[in-house]
Amino acid sequence: GPSSIIAWSPCIEGNRIFVVRQTGFIPNGVPDESKVYALNLATGQTLWSFSCPYASGDWTTNVYGVHDGRVYVGRGGNGSSVSAPVFCLDAASGAILWSSAEEVATGSYDGVVFTDDGDPIFATHLYIRRLNHLTGETLWNTVRSCSVSGDCGPALSGGSIYVDEVGPGGQK
């Protein structure tokens, strides 16, 4: 696949791998400085690419995750200091299925988890937010307190979300 000046974590579903290829830094070359690529997992052939829309102040593109043929990308992050819309793409074609009205500040180091029905759950050091996988609508949002911005991703098991929180005596 295309080269990248930063090795961003890939996401894999079926026979496709989804990755950001960083060729420059903001503000140079936006929105093409950090395109999302879908590659054939066996051959490395580029299937499609996507230039995530850019608004002044946005961060580099993240692939938040992939689930049930939907790829979630956006420009939030930078230690949770930048909020931007989430774009849901069709994994086969790269077409935009929706963009969220409410922005997220989740970055590439936070990670996103998915409910059994496919809803993505985003976390930052200040909140946890669940979006509807069909529409991008915020289903719920709850405040939280993680001590380190940019490393506050959730885990999901048995219908429960697990996150670390600041508490008496340290992290809980």
Side-chain angles (χ1 to χ4, degrees), residues 15-106:
N15 64 349
R16 296 183 189 97
I17 183 169
F18 306 93
V19 67
V20 171
R21 294 300 189 174
Q22 188 90 32
T23 59
F25 294 99
I26 296 169
N28 300 316
V30 293
D32 296 326
E33 90 299 347
S34 56
K35 282 186 178 182
V36 175
Y37 284 85
L39 306 173
N40 179 291
L41 188 58
T43 67
Q45 174 189 6
T46 298
L47 303 172
W48 54 260
S49 65
F50 175 75
S51 293
C52 195
Y54 175 82
S56 181
D58 282 354
W59 189 237
T60 196
T61 306
N62 300 301
V63 176
Y64 294 120
V66 59
H67 192 277
D68 288 341
R70 294 169 178 266
V71 183
Y72 300 88
V73 304
R75 286 183 173 272
N78 193 20
S80 299
S81 66
V82 175
S83 293
V86 175
F87 291 86
C88 178
L89 310 178
D90 178 78
S93 68
I96 297 173
L97 300 175
W98 52 257
S99 64
S100 65
E102 193 165 4
E103 297 181 339
V104 301
T106 301

Side-chain angles (χ1 to χ4, degrees), residues 13-14 23 39 51 72 80 82 91 109 112 120 124 126 134-135 142 171:
E13 185 177 67
T23 59
L39 306 173
S51 293
Y72 300 88
S80 299
V82 175
Y109 305 119
V112 171
T124 72
L126 299 175
L134 297 175
T135 65
T142 188
Q171 296 297 103

Side-chain angles (χ1 to χ4, degrees), residues 119-131:
D119 290 345
I121 299 177
F122 296 82
T124 72
H125 68 296
L126 299 175
Y127 63 81
I128 304 168
R129 181 172 299 147
R130 180 177 178 171
L131 300 183

